[in-house]
Amino acid sequence: MTQRVAPARPGGSLTEDGRQMREIVSYARRGARFSDRQQRIWDEYAPQWVIDPAAVEADDFDWSSVFGRDAPLILEIGSGVGETLGAVERPDANILGVEVWVPGVADTLGRLAAAGRTNVRMLSIDAVWLLRERIAPGALQELWLMFPDPWHKARHHKRRIVQPGFAELVTDRLVDGGIWRLATDWLPYAEHMQDVIDPAPGLRGGVVDRWPERPLTKFERRGIAKERQITDLAYLKG
């Protein structure tokens, strides 16, 4: 299997003359070139653990077929280089990491192999589309959103993934008793998250102590080095 740059959101809108309409997304595209080490890891593990986006776009796609079993589903959006996926053990769950930076997926595969995480699959696709189109209502046990891009400039705030429509979508996809975990090193974004999620019907929670299972990621270390406040949030459905 060869690496693939993350596609535009599947099923995106078209202009009147048939061109793909530019859509607002919460991520920035980055290079897809692999190091020699990443290429070796990819070649060894991607055929087993990386889901082809084209397969997900098919109408007959089924999660049990890619995991090889039926189990509660956990989703991490923006899994980066896989620090959380490699550290958190959930052997009784199917865990999906969504990351559009493909070299980060390769690094994740190495971490998963080293940790023996055979119940994790990786996918490079637009996470909002995935939640809306391929995860059924009440099918998600947990959602992890760790250090998403805060899009600091005011004119870019519309690109933040945490928006009212997204909170409504997450609520619908979580099972009763399901949990949405978030973390950020940017206090204004933490406040934005609370402003959006606190009033969302069906969710209750807010700022919490650090999630004990969450590893110290490179983004968190960078934030600490800059003396930023780290904020963990958790919201329960029901």
Side-chain angles (χ1 to χ4, degrees):
M1 183 185 295
T2 56
Q3 62 267 34
R4 175 181 170 185
V5 176
R9 180 177 297 177
S13 303
L14 301 178
T15 63
E16 290 184 1
D17 58 357
R19 291 179 292 109
Q20 188 77 33
M21 187 177 294
R22 184 184 179 94
E23 296 192 71
I24 297 172
V25 295
S26 62
Y27 50 86
R29 298 186 184 280
R30 301 166 67 184
R33 181 172 297 183
F34 283 176
S35 67
D36 291 343
R37 180 189 64 83
Q38 289 170 332
Q39 188 67 61
R40 288 193 298 271
I41 292 171
W42 184 273
D43 291 343
E44 182 171 359
Y45 296 109
Q48 304 164 260
W49 295 342
V50 176
I51 305 170
D52 185 349
V56 180
E57 294 168 28
D59 290 338
D60 61 351
F61 177 77
D62 176 61
W63 289 111
S64 61
S65 64
V66 296
F67 283 99
R69 64 175 185 173
D70 289 315
L73 182 63
I74 294 174
L75 171 64
E76 181 176 16
I77 295 177
S79 53
V81 295
E83 292 161 300
T84 301
L85 291 174
V88 179
E89 294 189 62
R90 292 287 194 279
D92 296 329
N94 292 337
I95 304 178
L96 176 66
V98 174
E99 175 53 59
V100 297
W101 183 45
V102 186
V105 175
D107 285 335
T108 300
L109 297 177
R111 280 189 167 84
L112 296 177
R117 303 280 187 266
T118 59
N119 62 323
V120 181
R121 299 293 181 269
M122 298 300 301
L123 177 61
S124 293
I125 206 166
D126 184 280
V128 176
W129 179 90
L130 181 76
L131 267 175
R132 188 179 66 236
E133 302 294 338
R134 292 295 179 265
I135 295 180
L140 196 62
Q141 186 71 39
E142 296 183 32
L143 174 63
W144 306 338
L145 186 61
M146 302 298 156
F147 301 94
D149 194 328
W151 294 103
H152 305 90
K153 296 180 180 179
R155 69 176 184 272
H156 292 156
H157 285 182
K158 61 188 177 183
R159 300 191 67 174
R160 291 174 168 176
I161 190 170
V162 179
Q163 304 289 356
F166 182 72
E168 181 180 354
L169 178 61
V170 171
T171 305
D172 182 68
R173 288 342 188 223
L174 284 171
V175 302
D176 288 338
I179 192 165
W180 182 8
R181 299 186 184 278
L182 309 94
T184 181
D185 67 341
W186 189 250
L187 184 57
Y189 196 19
E191 294 168 346
H192 168 84
M193 290 174 171
Q194 291 177 268
D195 288 344
V196 169
I197 307 174
D198 283 359
L203 293 177
R204 53 188 174 86
V207 176
V208 295
D209 292 337
R210 178 192 176 87
W211 179 24
E213 295 177 274
R214 182 170 68 75
L216 187 66
T217 68
K218 69 173 184 177
F219 291 102
E220 186 171 4
R221 290 191 295 269
R222 188 182 303 165
I224 291 171
K226 295 181 179 180
E227 299 184 342
R228 292 177 182 164
Q229 177 177 320
I230 309 300
T231 305
D232 278 71
L233 302 102
Y235 291 87
L236 191 72
K237 179 177 175 179

